[in-house]
């Protein structure tokens, strides 16, 4: 199989430790897909800029605006700034596992009219849309149980190889041109509906299938930078 080039984009604003956490996961995970990492500083604080790891310094017109509004604008900037056709969006409180990206890419190759997302194993800190997969491997950088996580991720990947189901969580692999045609994220939640849901509903209205790739396994500590 020919694998296209992909950009893996993440947002960061205040924590060098969480940035290192997520980048470490990427460096440890094996994938066949060639990709480049793009770190987007979202009104990043000086200690983050001083790491030298920020590739795109995104500054919002109003840095005091509600944080989710700024997040969606930064995600739009990330997709616009990527130099590859496909972009995978992750957060700094996520730790990926082997072949997570390959699974998303293979699904998109098999059916261009899909919006593939990974399977989140979430810590349980807040309610999950996939509660059957919740398992606590730590909610802090120092408290993360890497070895147990990697074993569990391998178990899930092998058990679910090639399987997908209708999507419930949001962390998509997008085609930049499709994303632009859809209109990208809205500039915030609208009438109580999340910007993620609005984007995914726009994809559905355009004929795309939102799917979760069950062998693309990603740990989500939940609210990493927000909590410290």
């Amino acid at each position: 199989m020919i694998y296209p080039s992909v950009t893996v984009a993440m947002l960061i604003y205040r924590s060098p430790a969480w940035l290192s956490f997520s980048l470490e996961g990427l460096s440890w995970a094996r994938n066949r897909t060639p990709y480049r990492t793009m770190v987007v500083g979202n009104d990043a604080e000086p200690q983050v800029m001083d790491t030298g790891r920020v590739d795109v310094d995104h500054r919002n017109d109003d840095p005091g605006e509600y944080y989710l509004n700024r997040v969606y604008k930064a995600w739009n900037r990330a997709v616009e700034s990527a130099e590859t056709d496909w972009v995978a969006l992750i957060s700094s409180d996520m730790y990926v596992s082997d072949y997570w990206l390959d699974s998303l890419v293979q699904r998109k190759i098999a059916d261009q009219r899909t919006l593939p997302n990974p399977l989140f194993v979430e810590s349980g800190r807040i309610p999950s849309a996939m509660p059957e997969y919740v398992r606590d491997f730590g909610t802090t950088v120092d408290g993360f149980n890497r070895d147990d996580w990697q074993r569990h991720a391998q178990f899930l990947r092998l058990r679910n190889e090639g399987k997908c189901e209708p999507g419930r969580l949001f962390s998509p692999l997008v085609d930049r041109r499709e994303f632009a045609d859809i209109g990208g994220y809205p500039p915030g939640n609208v009438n109580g509906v999340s910007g993620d849901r609005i984007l995914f509903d726009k994809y559905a209205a355009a004929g795309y299938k939102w799917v979760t790739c069950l062998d693309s396994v990603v740990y989500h500590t939940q609210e990493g930078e927000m909590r410290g």
Side-chain angles (χ1 to χ4, degrees):
M1 178 178 290
I2 298 174
Y3 291 81
S5 294
V6 177
T7 297
V8 176
M10 74 174 70
L11 306 185
I12 193 75
Y13 74 100
R14 74 172 182 173
S15 174
W18 281 109
L19 174 58
S20 295
F21 171 83
S22 193
L23 290 175
E24 179 194 275
L26 287 169
S27 69
W28 279 40
R30 294 174 289 178
N31 280 284
R32 301 178 185 89
T33 303
Y35 72 90
R36 62 189 69 182
T37 302
M38 183 173 69
V39 176
V40 178
N42 188 21
D43 295 319
E45 296 180 4
Q47 66 271 20
V48 169
M49 297 303 300
D50 288 346
T51 66
R53 293 178 171 181
V54 174
D55 302 299
V56 177
D57 182 14
H58 176 70
R59 298 289 163 178
N60 291 281
D61 293 335
D62 178 7
E65 187 179 10
Y66 181 53
Y67 84 97
L68 273 179
N69 296 6
R70 293 184 289 113
V71 164
Y72 292 131
K73 292 174 183 177
W75 279 134
N76 286 339
R77 175 72 183 279
V79 177
E80 292 166 3
S81 300
E83 296 179 358
T84 58
D85 289 336
W86 289 359
V87 186
L89 304 179
I90 66 171
S91 298
S92 60
D93 60 355
M94 297 177 185
Y95 201 97
V96 300
S97 66
D98 287 345
Y99 310 115
W100 74 280
L101 185 58
D102 291 344
S103 175
L104 301 179
V105 167
Q106 289 167 11
R107 179 60 54 181
K108 187 69 170 172
I109 290 173
D111 183 355
Q112 187 72 20
R113 304 291 288 181
T114 58
L115 185 62
N117 293 256
L119 167 64
F120 284 173
V121 175
E122 298 195 288
S123 67
R125 171 180 268 172
I126 57 178
S128 174
M130 302 190 81
E132 66 270 37
Y133 290 100
V134 168
R135 187 159 173 175
D136 186 2
F137 293 98
T139 57
T140 65
V141 171
D142 292 339
F144 177 57
N145 190 329
R146 183 182 299 102
D147 292 340
D148 282 357
W149 157 245
Q150 289 175 332
R151 283 190 289 268
H152 187 62
Q154 182 183 30
F155 164 75
L156 290 179
R157 176 173 56 83
L158 294 176
R159 187 182 74 178
N160 295 316
E161 190 168 4
K163 297 178 182 178
C164 69
E165 62 180 38
R168 285 183 271 172
L169 292 172
F170 311 101
S171 188
L173 170 73
V174 301
D175 179 293
R176 290 177 66 240
R177 279 171 283 194
E178 293 170 358
F179 184 86
D181 290 343
I182 291 291
Y185 286 98
N189 296 347
V190 180
N191 297 325
V193 181
S194 75
D196 288 294
R197 172 64 69 173
I198 292 168
L199 174 70
F200 280 56
D201 284 349
K202 288 193 294 184
Y203 268 94
Y208 289 82
K209 292 175 290 187
W210 169 22
V211 299
T212 294
C213 299
L214 298 180
D215 53 358
S216 173
V217 190
V218 173
Y219 184 57
H220 187 202
T221 64
Q222 301 179 303
E223 298 183 338
E225 277 198 288
M226 292 180 65
R227 302 237 181 173

